Amino acid sequence: MSVAIVHPGLLALWAKTGHPYHHLAGHLLDTAAVTFAVLQREPVTTRRMYATALGLDEEAALRLLAAVAGAHDLGKASPVFQAQWEEGRARAQAAGFLFTTRKSAGSEWVAHGVLTEAFFRRLLQERGFAPRLARSIARAVAAHHGFLATKSELVLTQDPDVVGTGYWEVARRELIELLFRTLHVQSPPSTVTLDDATSVAIMALASFSDWVASDPSFFQWGRKLEDPCEYWQEALRLADRALTEIGWRPRTPLLDERVRFDRIFAFPPNPLQRAIAQAVTGLGQPTLLLIETPMGTGKTEAALYAHTELQQVLGHRGLYVALPTMATGNGMFARLKDFLQRMGPRATPFDLQLQHGTAFLNPQYRAIQPYEVGDVQRDPEAAVVARTWFSARKRAMLSEYGVGTVDQALLGVLRVRHHFVRLWGLANRTVVLDEVHAYDAYTSGLVETLLRWLKTLGSSAIVMSATLPRSRRNAILKAYAVEPPHEDVPYPRITIAQGTEARSLQVLGLPSRALAVGSAPRDLRELAPRLLDEVRDGGCLACIVNTVDRAQRLYQALGPGEAIEDQGIRLGKQVAGIPVYLLHARYPAAERQKREEFLIRCFGKEGYATGTRPHRAVLVATQVVEQSLDLDFDAMVTDLAPMDLVLQRAGRLHRFDLAALSKYLGGAMGWSRPAAHASPRLWVAGLAEAPPDLESEHWDKVYAPYVLLMSWWALRRAQIVRIPEDLEALVEQVYDAPIPGNLPPDMAAWFEEARSLCERQQSDQRAWAHHSAISNPSELLADVPTDILALSDLDDDEETPVSQTPLTRYGEPSVMVIPLHRVGNRLALDAAGVSPAQTDEVPENEQALRLFLRSVRLGRPEVYRALVKTQPPAGWARHPLLRRMRVLELLDGRARIGRTVVRLDPELGVVYEP
């Protein structure tokens, strides 16, 4: 067929309903144009990677990929699809397309993506594509709605009444001919297989381009298609404009040339940062940097500087920083935003997305939103914005720069819908994985799978930890397909892995400090007065405990006091003139956010700079302050925890060098530690007990008993911990050393039993991680195992809709609830009934947000089992923000669920009462 004229009958087939409708041929060309425009804005390294994989020159590879993406809706050229719209069916019938009268042809539903796979595979082979290559390309592009076709679905494509014969077959050939000839796709690729990186690209480009091309505000439906070449040129112009409006800027390096560390950060590099600058010089291929240095040594700045170097040399298209929790993601967002702003003014601002479930609660993120498609920038001088198009959950990883939880990246390797969009977003990119020691065996297994994919996709990874056991370090290196270095370089160190080899460098010159370790009482009646005594003459103390219940009880045990309030939130109390604060994860979302912001103002650098740091204070907190929060305390008490986490908690102790901070903030401020806390001291609750009580406070439910026991044994002998000299040895004693040989017989038996249990649990977690993830890139297009088909049906959300168990974590299930007060015959947000809550009708967005801000996650088994059986209110179920929320109905501030009373306390948060 000549591409000068399109057969009128072909234009009778519809792709989008409406008046005017959009013909299928036009939509295929529109989608191909978006793909072509996207690839032209990619760095040369991305285009070269695909060209090499396909055995074509760069221009030919781009045209082939665009034509392939355009073919995504070929399955719509079938009677089973065209019959869905009566007007469209009549038009197709009048053009000569036959529809069976057999009833099953209308009821035997087959998704058009499944049909695309069957049709396109056969047509590619007819065009000379190798059979395996044709199968892989067809299977990849047909997944554009988020999932692969199953064997049972493909069987249905053998039914002629479903797929159509005769003119249907002719039309499908003409559509592919139209695409390939218009885009000047000549001969098939020389390769006989499709590599994994290009498979991901085809899957993601087909989805992404289809989303853009399906928007009638970008591509008007019903445009005339008489001359394909003219239509193609117009489609390219529309695609270019659409990408510009959504904020898909050309992927160019942050810096045009190499810039010294101090020019970017306005302070000289420390020994770690100097070592990183040296390590990344002259790298010629995607790299894994494994940074193992103590807490507070500037790993974040080192990683950001490394990205600028990697991007310049390797052409990486962006950066994603992945952290363990939403709180740590919030903290990192401000730092990454500041980093991008230092890059100087740009014609097009950087797009920066905060990626986690409650990102919109972050005030700094909200401040740079919303930037709707086509909006005029509110601040013409803004260097960083957050465009709304990328803020949608499925699209966020496509943004050039992002920070959020590791979960958002890990969803790319799980078999959830559109997982490949996230994976492609991470391709040819720098991915920073911070605090990798914080994950259990299941999540660690997923992290290793992610690293395998990053290597496949041409991405560099920067993995950071203060405390990493040797076994974990080796597993990370092997996941990136490199063997551990032959030479065992002492801690602290940087490991540089490229190709199949790795080498390590010791980081010399880091300051050394001694941390005194002592014991604290586990009993709260003894612990509470001791906390107050420690700061009576001055100092800020953090007490980090292992459970929310214990944190609430300790806060109460500190005694009554006058409330400390800010913006209507009861943040704490004054006990004998000492401010006492509480922070944990069981506050309503907005309250927790405000508490975190307040505590950063008090105990972060801002507290020193503005004078808002209290002279003395006690913070009672759970693990929410354990990772990455830039807080500084004069003294610390912690519950017994795994060794690496105890050391992480201690990273908030004397975190800032006050002399250096004073200089950085502009002069001699005269700051100093209180005399009683001039040297850092860490007290561990439960350390003096022999053996430690792990059950009464449920520590054995939070952490593996074996790891707790080994940590207890090692800490009892560590009266002084020298940082960094002793960190690695302490961690190795817990994770990679045998059970101590000098234990009493009964205690040795307890250790051995705990070890066996720990090994079984870790084995189970690793097995499930391997099974539920696409553990090896070669499995990308393989048939989905039957027992995880349910997972493949899930949207790329953070958790299962039924159990609400996070897909990326192995923890106990929990349920998201919104506490509402029963006032008469209605429900309200407040106990007085002033703000009624709408449940039967879909709430307006403003009220939906107000409701969401009250949400809290509950995990007590009895409470979870009861609430998860209830359904979200009818109105909420139809709103994306509230669709999984259950109502926790409160009467006089309480709800009885089985034997448990759940109480919402304005100071303590959600409290469980027996």
Side-chain angles (χ1 to χ4, degrees):
M1 153 185 173
S2 168
V3 295
I5 299 175
V6 179
H7 192 287
L10 203 62
L11 299 181
L13 299 177
W14 60 274
K16 306 292 179 182
T17 60
H19 297 88
Y21 75 98
H22 199 35
H23 36 75
L24 178 57
H27 178 60
L28 301 190
L29 287 170
D30 292 345
T31 304
V34 175
T35 295
F36 193 76
V38 167
L39 290 172
Q40 286 186 314
R41 295 187 179 206
E42 284 289 295
V44 66
T45 46
T46 299
R47 301 196 299 267
R48 191 179 297 144
M49 179 168 57
Y50 300 146
T52 302
L54 292 168
L56 298 169
D57 64 66
E58 190 177 304
E59 179 71 15
L62 264 59
R63 290 184 176 277
L64 174 61
L65 289 172
V68 164
H72 70 294
D73 271 353
L74 183 64
K76 290 183 176 180
S78 63
V80 72
F81 181 85
Q82 293 293 315
Q84 291 180 93
W85 183 36
E86 191 57 40
E87 182 181 320
R89 173 181 172 138
R91 187 181 294 108
Q93 209 158 10
F97 291 96
L98 298 180
F99 291 81
T100 182
T101 57
R102 202 172 64 125
K103 189 174 182 181
S104 63
S107 59
E108 190 77 85
W109 169 250
V110 182
H112 69 266
V114 177
L115 295 171
T116 293
E117 179 174 339
F119 299 157
F120 199 31
R121 176 181 181 180
R122 184 168 62 252
L123 293 174
L124 285 174
Q125 287 186 246
E126 289 180 5
R127 300 186 74 88
F129 283 65
R132 284 180 61 191
L133 179 63
R135 177 189 182 276
S136 296
I137 290 176
R139 191 157 176 77
V141 76
H144 65 282
H145 280 293
F147 49 84
L148 295 170
T150 64
K151 288 182 179 178
S152 59
E153 288 174 320
L154 288 170
V155 168
L156 298 175
T157 65
Q158 305 303 312
D159 185 341
D161 294 317
V162 171
V163 303
T165 56
Y167 191 25
W168 292 105
E169 282 283 1
V170 172
R172 290 191 284 263
R173 284 190 175 87
E174 287 184 347
L175 286 169
I176 295 304
E177 183 72 9
L178 173 67
L179 272 172
F180 276 55
R181 293 194 65 178
T182 301
L183 272 70
H184 303 293
V185 177
Q186 306 290 332
S187 56
S190 59
T191 182
V192 297
T193 59
L194 189 65
D195 78 308
D196 303 312
T198 311
S199 297
V200 171
I202 290 173
M203 297 170 85
L205 284 167
S207 294
F208 173 28
S209 301
D210 184 33
W211 294 338
V212 177
S214 298
D215 189 335
S217 67
F218 296 142
F219 292 85
Q220 182 183 356
W221 294 353
R223 304 190 318 279
K224 290 185 179 181
L225 176 50
E226 295 174 348
D227 184 329
C229 292
E230 288 184 6
Y231 188 96
W232 172 248
Q233 292 303 318
E234 181 192 21
L236 285 175
R237 288 193 295 271
L238 295 175
D240 199 57
R241 187 185 73 182
L243 292 178
T244 296
E245 290 194 11
I246 68 173
W248 187 277
R249 61 191 293 278
R251 300 319 197 208
T252 56
L254 288 171
L255 299 170
D256 296 329
E257 58 184 3
R258 193 177 192 201
V259 175
R260 296 198 317 268
F261 182 95
D262 55 349
R263 289 280 301 277
I264 296 176
F265 294 101
F267 58 82
N270 66 19
L272 167 64
Q273 294 152 355
R274 286 197 299 272
I276 284 289
Q278 181 181 0
V280 297
T281 300
L283 298 177
Q285 56 185 310
T287 302
L288 169 67
L289 288 175
L290 180 53
I291 303 174
E292 300 172 85
T293 60
M295 305 69 66
T297 51
K299 289 190 285 292
T300 297
E301 289 78 11
L304 295 179
Y305 183 76
H307 165 67
T308 66
E309 293 285 299
L310 292 167
Q311 188 180 48
Q312 272 200 354
V313 175
L314 304 176
H316 288 327
R317 60 214 283 263
L319 170 72
Y320 183 70
V321 183
L323 296 118
T325 66
M326 289 185 284
T328 55
N330 288 335
M332 189 62 69
F333 177 79
R335 299 169 77 177
L336 186 53
K337 177 173 173 285
D338 183 55
F339 169 72
L340 291 175
Q341 287 172 330
R342 292 197 200 103
M343 296 298 107
R346 294 283 177 115
T348 304
F350 297 110
D351 188 84
L352 173 62
Q353 296 295 329
L354 177 59
Q355 299 183 47
H356 60 65
T358 60
F360 58 88
L361 297 182
N362 184 293
Q364 294 197 54
Y365 185 52
R366 289 201 308 271
I368 60 174
Q369 283 189 306
Y371 280 82
E372 301 288 354
V373 170
D375 270 0
V376 176
Q377 227 172 280
R378 290 174 295 178
D379 178 5
E381 302 299 320
V384 182
V385 299
R387 292 180 177 84
T388 303
W389 197 91
F390 293 106
S391 296
R393 186 166 287 176
K394 288 184 181 181
R395 304 170 183 170
M397 201 60 80
L398 296 175
S399 176
E400 194 172 7
Y401 294 95
V403 59
T405 58
V406 71
D407 310 76
Q408 301 301 314
L410 296 182
L411 285 170
V413 303
L414 289 169
R415 293 183 186 276
V416 294
R417 291 184 67 172
H418 288 110
H419 72 91
F420 43 79
V421 173
R422 292 176 186 267
L423 264 185
W424 185 71
L426 293 170
N428 190 16
R429 202 167 172 187
T430 306
V431 179
V432 178
L433 300 170
D434 197 7
E435 312 282 13
V436 291
H437 58 272
Y439 307 121
D440 58 21
Y442 171 74
T443 304
S444 294
L446 296 183
V447 168
E448 290 164 23
T449 296
L450 176 63
L451 287 168
R452 277 191 285 275
W453 270 107
L454 293 177
K455 180 69 173 284
T456 297
L457 296 171
S459 303
S460 292
I462 302 175
V463 180
M464 304 192 296
S465 177
T467 51
L468 203 61
R470 184 193 309 269
S471 55
R472 242 349 243 117
R473 178 168 70 253
N474 291 346
I476 286 170
L477 292 170
K478 288 181 178 179
Y480 201 73
V482 296
E483 288 298 319
H486 298 297
E487 183 181 357
D488 197 12
V489 173
Y491 177 91
R493 63 181 154 258
I494 303 165
T495 302
I496 306 104
Q498 287 188 299
T500 59
E501 297 182 353
R503 59 188 176 88
S504 294
L505 304 172
Q506 186 178 13
V507 179
L508 301 173
L510 289 175
S512 177
R513 63 191 182 110
L515 171 66
V517 178
S519 64
R522 182 178 51 81
D523 189 290
L524 300 184
R525 292 169 298 182
E526 300 177 46
L527 180 59
R530 178 165 172 179
L531 300 182
L532 296 174
D533 287 342
E534 287 295 336
V535 299
R536 207 167 298 278
D537 295 327
C540 296
L541 179 147
C543 182
I544 305 177
V545 298
N546 292 338
T547 67
V548 175
D549 289 345
R550 180 168 165 85
Q552 291 170 332
R553 288 186 287 110
L554 176 56
Y555 179 83
Q556 290 175 303
L558 287 164
E562 182 181 351
I564 300 174
E565 296 190 3
D566 184 64
Q567 303 179 58
I569 303 295
R570 296 186 64 177
L571 298 167
K573 59 189 176 183
Q574 290 275 356
V575 179
I578 300 172
V580 176
Y581 303 106
L582 177 65
L583 181 64
H584 55 71
R586 221 157 60 203
Y587 284 107
E591 290 186 23
R592 175 178 168 180
Q593 180 78 24
K594 289 180 179 179
R595 287 172 183 274
E596 288 179 1
E597 293 167 3
F598 175 82
L599 294 173
I600 289 172
R601 291 198 301 271
C602 284
F603 304 115
K605 291 177 181 175
E606 184 181 346
Y608 284 107
T610 62
T612 53
R613 182 180 178 89
H615 170 63
R616 55 182 182 173
V618 172
L619 170 65
V620 176
T622 57
Q623 297 90 332
V624 294
V625 302
E626 185 176 280
Q627 309 285 346
S628 289
L629 290 182
D630 211 17
L631 304 177
D632 173 278
F633 296 96
D634 301 305
M636 180 173 289
V637 176
T638 174
D639 279 349
L640 177 66
M643 176 64 77
D644 49 336
L645 300 186
V646 169
L647 295 172
Q648 280 296 320
R649 294 175 184 185
R652 313 312 114 180
L653 178 57
H654 287 218
R655 183 174 182 84
F656 303 150
D657 179 329
L658 297 189
L661 181 62
S662 173
K663 183 178 179 181
Y664 173 68
L665 292 174
M669 308 295 185
W671 297 321
S672 61
R673 304 281 177 190
H677 304 296
S679 300
R681 290 182 295 168
L682 176 71
W683 294 283
V684 181
L687 192 61
E689 301 173 9
D693 181 354
L694 304 181
E695 297 181 0
S696 63
E697 293 287 351
H698 307 292
W699 294 350
D700 59 330
K701 300 297 189 298
V702 181
Y703 302 113
Y706 176 69
V707 177
L708 289 176
L709 291 172
M710 292 292 284
S711 300
W712 167 79
W713 183 261
L715 284 168
R716 278 171 65 90
R717 286 149 180 75
Q719 296 180 353
I720 298 293
V721 174
R722 295 172 303 149
I723 300 174
E725 294 86 349
D726 297 336
L727 292 193
E728 183 170 48
L730 286 170
V731 173
E732 295 288 339
Q733 284 182 53
V734 173
Y735 289 98
D736 289 339
I739 294 174
N742 54 343
L743 292 172
D746 56 340
M747 192 175 291
W750 185 23
F751 272 60
E752 184 58 44
E753 182 181 353
R755 184 189 62 79
S756 297
L757 175 62
C758 183
E759 288 178 350
R760 290 196 303 271
Q761 291 174 337
Q762 290 187 348
S763 177
D764 290 345
Q765 291 183 34
R766 290 193 197 97
W768 182 242
H770 179 82
H771 188 56
S772 58
I774 308 169
S775 297
N776 292 298
S778 59
E779 300 171 0
L780 176 69
L781 299 177
D783 292 322
V784 180
T786 304
D787 57 346
I788 60 170
L789 275 174
L791 185 64
S792 68
D793 288 336
L794 292 178
D795 207 347
D796 63 344
D797 221 330
E798 289 190 36
E799 54 192 26
T800 61
V802 177
S803 71
Q804 297 201 8
T805 304
L807 295 173
T808 53
R809 309 286 172 136
Y810 203 78
E812 293 295 324
S814 58
V815 61
M816 289 289 286
V817 304
I818 297 177
L820 296 179
H821 298 268
R822 170 64 64 180
V823 183
N825 61 354
R826 65 178 182 174
L827 294 171
L829 287 167
D830 61 300
V834 175
S835 301
Q838 193 172 358
T839 56
D840 294 332
E841 301 295 329
V842 180
E844 296 292 332
N845 285 339
E846 183 178 345
Q847 187 181 85
L849 179 58
R850 290 181 65 198
L851 287 164
F852 188 89
L853 293 175
R854 298 291 298 160
S855 64
V856 63
R857 185 178 291 277
L858 303 182
R860 176 165 284 200
E862 182 180 38
V863 174
Y864 161 76
R865 286 193 298 268
L867 291 176
V868 80
K869 292 176 183 176
T870 66
Q871 295 299 318
W876 295 5
R878 301 195 298 276
H879 194 286
L881 206 58
L882 306 176
R883 61 194 175 98
R884 292 186 184 164
M885 301 291 178
R886 272 70 169 181
V887 171
L888 178 68
E889 187 173 318
L890 304 173
L891 187 61
D892 295 328
R894 289 174 166 80
R896 177 169 288 281
I897 301 176
R899 294 174 297 176
T900 303
V901 172
V902 183
R903 178 168 61 89
L904 180 59
D905 187 280
E907 193 170 4
L908 300 175
V910 173
V911 180
Y912 297 131
E913 297 177 346

